[in-house]
Amino acid sequence: MTEKLFSSEIRVMELLWKNGEMSAKEIAAALAESAHWSKTTTYTVIKKCVEKGAVIREEPGFVCKAAVSKTEVQEAEAFELVERLFGGSPDLLVSALIGSGKISPEQLKNLREMVKNMEEE
């Protein structure tokens, strides 16, 4: 999958990542309740996910399952964000996050540990 997923498509993916295989009918029911989407809207978004290679659709029953993991999508989105807003520089992203004052001491500790582990590898 190389195409960016939009927020509506991520909503469908979140359901599949959480629940595994689901029929389009089950996805539509879940999104009707949580997002107030119509069945038509849900089916259109599922179709877009299939076209992008993010969802595999199987018959019978229009059963859908994720073709990409949540981690793959998160990594692709993070890379795109760094490229688009930070000139390809991950350190500028981290600097912006730390500078915002919205990172808790626990999160900062986790970041330090991740960097330390990467340096040791």
Side-chain angles (χ1 to χ4, degrees):
M1 190 196 88
T2 57
E3 291 187 61
K4 177 177 174 45
L5 295 177
F6 294 102
S7 58
S8 58
E9 296 159 344
I10 295 288
R11 288 188 97 145
V12 168
M13 298 304 297
E14 288 287 353
L15 284 172
L16 294 174
W17 291 325
K18 179 181 176 186
N19 300 306
E21 290 184 0
M22 294 178 74
S23 70
K25 185 177 181 179
E26 292 170 325
I27 296 169
L31 290 172
E33 186 176 318
S34 67
H36 307 291
W37 287 7
S38 70
K39 184 177 176 180
T40 304
T41 297
T42 301
Y43 280 38
T44 299
V45 175
I46 292 170
K47 181 181 176 201
K48 294 286 186 191
C49 290
V50 170
E51 290 170 357
K52 290 181 177 185
V55 170
I56 297 168
R57 175 187 164 191
E58 297 175 347
E59 293 296 341
F62 201 155
V63 175
C64 301
K65 60 183 172 183
V68 294
S69 71
K70 186 172 186 173
T71 300
E72 289 173 294
V73 173
Q74 288 173 328
E75 288 173 357
E77 290 287 328
F79 180 77
E80 193 271 332
L81 176 71
V82 167
E83 286 297 316
R84 186 169 42 91
L85 294 179
F86 298 96
S89 179
D91 55 323
L92 291 178
L93 169 64
V94 173
S95 176
L97 290 170
I98 292 170
S100 72
K102 295 182 180 179
I103 292 186
S104 71
E106 177 75 20
Q107 291 168 323
L108 196 53
K109 178 184 171 199
N110 291 341
L111 285 171
R112 283 189 189 104
E113 287 178 24
M114 282 187 250
V115 170
K116 182 181 175 189
N117 290 338
M118 288 181 72
E119 289 175 339
E120 291 173 356
E121 289 178 0

